Amino acid sequence: MMMDLIQAQPYPYELPQQGKIALLIIDMQRDFLESGGFGEALGNDVSRLRVIIPTVQKLLAVFREKNLPVFHTIEGHKTDLSDCPPAKLKRGQGSQKIGDLGTMGRILILGEKGNQIIDELKPLNNEIIITKPGKGAFYATSLQEHLQNQQITHLMITGVTTEVCVQTTMREANDRGYECLLVEDGTESYFPFFKQATLEMVRAQGGIVGWTAHSTDIISALKGWNTG
Ligand code: TIU
């Protein structure tokens, strides 16, 4: 039987013979990529995350072209903060906290301007948006239910930030039995060293958490893949 493989580390990643692959785009919301949101409130230079936008756009275009499922996530809290643990609310020493009024609305609150996915990656109506109160996309969300309903077994993971929401989600997915591939140039961190360390730690020990691959290798494999 011919296998469809993506050139990856620590070894080639097999595209599913059975089951499906989905694209997971983590938290590409204004909060983390534009000035005036949560990322900046935490003291970060948000501009450095923007380099991955064209890569994620290209992957998104291939998934849409091949009619493969796409999931977007947003980190955010209810207006009354009832889903925000006190520990998360009081954490940090920045001038603004979750729920405070910033230049893009209330910080990290669902529905506010800062909480919207950036225009460049605007979801289509048939793409599911998972809002999440934590760093991981499985905690207190319906993500797993959606994946199971759609027989998705493989996840291609992109978004921000690599060592926080992306890595947490990848670890959660790995423990739930998903074959996870982290897109090297489709994820970014405020700290280059943390991104590099994350790539290395997930693929160490024979792929203890999963694989990493460059978008060009992923796109060429997906384009030639007969999804049946
Ligand atoms: N602070 C930071 O790097 N990230 C977050 O708070 N959330 C996400 O990673 N989405």
Side-chain angles (χ1 to χ4, degrees):
M1 190 179 356
M2 199 174 111
M3 276 189 302
D4 287 288
L5 299 173
I6 295 177
Q7 206 45 54
Q9 291 195 61
Y11 57 90
Y13 178 87
E14 251 178 71
L15 286 165
Q17 308 284 314
Q18 281 164 351
K20 267 195 264 175
I21 191 157
L23 178 64
L24 197 50
I25 305 179
I26 308 280
D27 300 359
M28 289 295 279
Q29 60 200 70
R30 293 201 174 105
D31 285 303
F32 298 111
L33 295 141
E34 294 181 10
S35 188
F38 187 52
E40 201 173 72
L42 295 172
N44 299 300
D45 168 11
V46 295
S47 66
R48 68 175 319 282
L49 302 193
R50 303 189 64 83
V51 295
I52 65 166
I53 297 171
T55 304
V56 183
Q57 280 179 314
K58 278 183 223 157
L59 276 166
L60 185 57
V62 175
F63 271 73
R64 285 175 177 167
E65 208 176 283
K66 296 196 82 80
N67 222 5
L68 293 168
V70 175
F71 292 80
H72 303 258
T73 72
I74 292 176
E75 181 179 351
H77 294 283
K78 295 180 180 164
T79 50
D80 64 0
L81 294 172
S82 58
D83 58 354
C84 184
K88 182 175 181 182
L89 194 57
K90 70 174 206 272
R91 192 78 53 83
Q93 299 181 316
S95 56
Q96 289 206 299
K97 300 270 188 214
I98 296 168
D100 287 353
L101 189 61
T103 56
M104 293 195 292
R106 290 180 68 203
I107 305 270
L108 218 63
I109 299 296
L110 298 172
E112 296 287 340
K113 183 179 175 201
N115 212 236
Q116 308 295 314
I117 290 171
I118 56 170
D119 290 341
E120 295 90 329
L121 297 169
K122 200 174 164 56
L124 296 179
N125 286 338
N126 65 337
E127 293 167 358
I128 290 171
I129 301 174
I130 301 286
T131 60
K132 60 185 183 65
K135 303 307 180 193
F138 286 84
Y139 169 68
T141 73
S142 56
L143 178 58
Q144 184 158 19
E145 207 179 310
H146 285 291
L147 297 177
Q148 283 172 341
N149 287 344
Q150 296 188 40
Q151 279 101 46
I152 293 161
T153 49
H154 290 57
L155 294 173
M156 204 149 282
I157 304 176
T158 62
V160 295
T161 61
T162 316
E163 79 284 7
V164 184
C165 293
V166 172
Q167 183 173 203
T168 302
T169 299
M170 186 165 174
R171 289 177 181 277
E172 285 183 325
N174 185 54
D175 280 350
R176 286 166 177 77
Y178 295 95
E179 302 278 21
C180 298
L181 176 67
L182 177 56
V183 184
E184 292 168 22
D185 52 332
T187 183
E188 198 45 85
S189 168
Y190 299 122
F191 307 90
F193 166 75
F194 288 167
K195 171 178 170 174
Q196 193 53 35
T198 301
L199 295 178
E200 287 176 27
M201 72 176 82
V202 301
R203 67 193 177 209
Q205 305 181 68
I208 194 79
V209 185
W211 288 259
T212 75
H214 197 271
S215 65
T216 51
D217 292 322
I218 296 168
I219 290 169
S220 63
L222 286 178
K223 287 208 164 180
W225 185 38
N226 183 358
T227 53

